[in-house]
Amino acid sequence: MFELVKAGGWLMLPIIACSVVALAIIVERFWSLQQRRVNPRQLVVQIWQMIQAGQLTEDRLRQVRDGSPLGRVLAAGLINMGHTRDVMKEAIEETGRHVAHDLERFLNTLGTIAAITPLLGLLGTVVGMIQVFSVITDVGVGSPGELAGGISQALITTAAGISVAVPSLIFHRYFRGRVDELVLEMEMESIKLVEVIHGEREAAGA
């Protein structure tokens, strides 16, 4: 492996750095975007039960807000549940935009890595071919060993760039879809809470 990196030249260093960053983002996003961490099941039902039992204290509300992204959104509505339905929805929507932005954290970086690593590989190809032509200019085509160095650099950097870009792009698209799915679920749960509190929906159907 070290020999391949060495043969690829200095452009292998940023490609390797991109691969390490991409792997760290992928692992972190898989951990952070789990269903149970973002949208805990039955949270609206639990909140309604606390309201009915008169147990929704400031401490309980803080626990709901800090427990998950969905809890943060619902807590924004609960703080304003004494106001009209529209005010409650506006508070939820405003917080929801911030939460959705947080769920997309690092995805732009992952997308950037997917875009630039093939370009770094292409740059390595260009540098390698320049080296080949320099050798031809200096010693002619009678030195296969000298020519092989530039050609191997061109091929290795291209392969490395594509190898990093493909999984980065796949996971970037996957996490984008995952965030959209989670945000949609969050919106549905928020609507349930608003409708239950304002008597437009039966609690049993929450």
Side-chain angles (χ1 to χ4, degrees):
M1 181 63 70
F2 177 74
E3 292 300 323
L4 283 176
V5 173
K6 184 177 178 181
W10 64 269
L11 279 167
M12 288 294 291
L13 296 179
I15 293 175
I16 292 172
C18 286
S19 70
V20 172
V21 173
L23 180 60
I25 291 173
I26 290 168
V27 172
E28 191 276 337
R29 289 291 85 190
F30 262 122
W31 175 262
S32 298
L33 296 180
Q34 295 179 64
Q35 175 76 31
R36 62 185 178 85
R37 291 183 175 278
V38 179
N39 293 334
R41 297 189 182 280
Q42 301 298 316
L43 183 58
V44 172
V45 174
Q46 294 170 13
I47 291 172
W48 178 247
Q49 290 172 349
M50 285 190 286
I51 292 174
Q52 291 292 91
Q55 297 175 345
L56 191 63
T57 62
E58 289 187 7
D59 288 339
R60 287 286 182 87
L61 186 59
R62 189 179 302 110
Q63 290 174 5
V64 170
R65 184 185 61 209
D66 297 338
S68 64
L70 175 60
R72 182 179 164 192
V73 173
L74 298 180
L78 293 171
I79 292 172
N80 293 277
M81 66 179 177
H83 299 285
T84 64
R85 185 178 189 273
D86 290 339
V87 171
M88 193 173 175
K89 283 187 65 178
E90 286 175 7
I92 286 174
E93 289 171 358
E94 181 179 352
T95 303
R97 285 191 289 269
H98 291 288
V99 170
H101 182 268
D102 290 343
L103 292 178
E104 294 176 348
R105 184 175 50 181
F106 305 134
L107 294 189
N108 283 339
T109 302
L110 190 60
T112 300
I113 289 172
I116 66 171
T117 46
L119 297 179
L120 289 171
L122 179 60
L123 180 58
T125 300
V126 173
V127 171
M129 296 311 296
I130 290 173
Q131 180 179 330
V132 169
F133 284 112
S134 297
V135 170
I136 291 174
T137 301
D138 293 338
V139 300
V141 295
S143 179
E146 295 289 339
L147 295 175
I151 295 173
S152 65
Q153 178 176 343
L155 296 177
I156 290 170
T157 52
T158 301
I162 294 173
S163 298
V164 175
V166 170
S168 296
L169 181 59
I170 290 172
F171 282 108
H172 177 261
R173 295 288 179 87
Y174 169 77
F175 288 131
R176 283 287 183 189
R178 182 65 176 155
V179 168
D180 291 342
E181 179 184 336
L182 291 170
V183 169
L184 179 60
E185 291 180 9
M186 217 176 293
E187 290 176 357
M188 293 172 63
E189 292 298 306
S190 301
I191 291 171
K192 287 180 185 178
L193 180 68
V194 173
E195 291 178 349
V196 168
I197 287 177
H198 285 274
E200 298 172 5
R201 186 181 184 128
E202 294 297 329

